[in-house]
Amino acid sequence: NTVVMFTSDHGELVGDHGLIRKGPMPYRQLLNIPLIISGAGHDKGQVIPALTSHLDLMPTILDLAGVDHAGGDGLSLMPLIRGEAAALREFAYGEYHPRTVRNQYNHSIITAHERLTLYPQAEAEGWGEYFDHRDDPGEHHNRYHDPACQNRINALRQQLQDDLPAAPRAGN
């Protein structure tokens, strides 16, 4: 009746993109983080490649404990674990609040195949990132300024602004 969960707050770059550790750029290596669940309630050795969030941990733990968890931002992962759903969410979000260089503030929207990151404090400089993971899983070719991607970027930008409006001064 014991469940053990292992996770982290972020990944590490370990040389990817010529960088080490972590930084303001939310590359995939920083956003894809481990979550290992072991114990009662799921099949051994199961790998679930779904878009999830740390917000989903509390509802999952409460669900495993048989406690009602109505409300809140997260979704229980139990439907994924039980094989009842292929995905729970269409989008995940990220945000980086710098301690010193203010224009590095960014917020991101992530789908199963894309990431759009906006730098609201540096829009005048043209900062932004758009990666299509189907063609570029390593995020090496930023297509933010590619005219062929502008319709998709605009749709993701609107979704991001609706769901996670820029808040560069939050917490100050």
Side-chain angles (χ1 to χ4, degrees), residues 33-52:
I33 57 172
L35 173 60
I36 300 170
I37 302 174
S38 181
H42 63 281
D43 295 333
K44 186 176 183 178
Q46 189 177 12
V47 176
I48 303 169
L51 192 60
T52 63

Side-chain angles (χ1 to χ4, degrees), residues 52 55-64 69 73-82 85 88-89:
T52 63
L55 297 172
D56 302 331
L57 294 177
M58 184 192 66
T60 302
I61 292 167
L62 292 173
D63 206 1
L64 284 165
H69 55 81
D73 293 324
L75 303 167
S76 173
L77 300 176
M78 291 310 295
L80 291 174
I81 292 169
R82 290 190 296 258
L88 296 174
R89 62 178 70 245

Side-chain angles (χ1 to χ4, degrees), residues 22-23 26 36 39 51 66 77 81-82 89 91 95 107-108 116 124 145-146 159:
K22 62 179 182 175
I36 300 170
L51 192 60
L77 300 176
I81 292 169
R82 290 190 296 258
R89 62 178 70 245
F91 306 106
E95 191 172 32
H107 61 149
S108 301
L116 172 68
H145 296 288
D146 182 340
Q159 188 72 45

Side-chain angles (χ1 to χ4, degrees), residues 1 31 38 81 99 106 117 123 132-133 170:
N1 64 358
L31 298 178
S38 181
I81 292 169
R99 294 184 181 160
N106 63 68
T117 298
E123 271 186 293
D132 186 330
H133 298 143

Side-chain angles (χ1 to χ4, degrees), residues 77-156:
L77 300 176
M78 291 310 295
L80 291 174
I81 292 169
R82 290 190 296 258
E84 298 168 0
L88 296 174
R89 62 178 70 245
E90 187 177 354
F91 306 106
Y93 302 91
E95 191 172 32
Y96 176 79
H97 288 271
R99 294 184 181 160
T100 55
V101 184
R102 293 289 170 206
N103 66 351
Q104 289 181 347
Y105 166 81
N106 63 68
H107 61 149
S108 301
I109 183 169
I110 302 103
T111 73
H113 304 290
E114 307 159 285
R115 174 176 63 85
L116 172 68
T117 298
L118 303 178
Y119 294 81
Q121 307 272 78
E123 271 186 293
E125 292 91 357
W127 288 16
E129 298 168 2
Y130 173 72
F131 297 99
D132 186 330
H133 298 143
R134 291 168 288 211
D135 300 328
D136 183 17
E139 295 187 338
H140 296 290
H141 306 287
N142 184 0
R143 299 184 66 194
Y144 185 73
H145 296 288
D146 182 340
C149 299
Q150 291 311 301
N151 286 341
R152 184 61 181 152
I153 288 170
N154 290 338
L156 289 171

